[in-house]
Amino acid sequence: MKAVVLILGVAAAVLASPSQANEALAKKHNCLACHATDKKLVGPSYKDVAAKYAKDSGAEAKLVEKVKKGGQGVWGQVPMPPNPQVPDADLHALVKWILSQK
């Protein structure tokens, strides 16, 4: 019974704060080694990414593909390494969170 309560408690915490849950995913998958929410590190800030793609209706699909396969040239010559090990559900949650940054 304690395990069920613990699991429900975690689920409630995730539902109460989806932005924290997605920041936790960014930490889990080492995204924050190169990106920050509000400043450029190795890669662009998440706020800059959100602003760049704000009017692009296909942004989520493009960015999921970019994170999964990697790329270069959109933000300069430093390459975005591929991340094929990140589960698709996590990729979509991360990209939605990134695109929601203001």
Side-chain angles (χ1 to χ4, degrees):
M1 187 63 154
K2 287 183 181 180
V4 172
V5 172
L6 178 60
I7 291 170
L8 291 176
V10 170
V14 169
L15 290 174
S17 184
S19 65
Q20 288 179 347
N22 291 321
E23 185 172 356
L25 281 177
K27 288 177 184 175
K28 174 184 174 184
H29 295 298
N30 296 318
C31 304
L32 301 177
C34 295
H35 299 278
T37 302
D38 58 355
K39 63 183 174 187
K40 180 183 183 336
L41 294 178
V42 175
S45 75
Y46 291 144
K47 288 182 178 183
D48 288 344
V49 173
K52 181 178 186 105
Y53 291 96
K55 295 180 182 179
D56 185 343
S57 62
E60 183 178 341
K62 288 178 192 175
L63 292 176
V64 165
E65 191 75 7
K66 174 78 73 172
V67 174
K68 189 170 202 147
K69 293 186 176 179
Q72 183 175 355
V74 175
W75 297 93
Q77 294 306 307
V78 177
M80 167 81 177
N83 294 278
Q85 76 284 0
V86 179
D88 286 347
D90 287 1
L91 285 173
H92 284 277
L94 285 163
V95 168
K96 284 180 182 180
W97 173 68
I98 291 164
L99 291 172
S100 74
Q101 301 302 301
K102 303 284 185 234

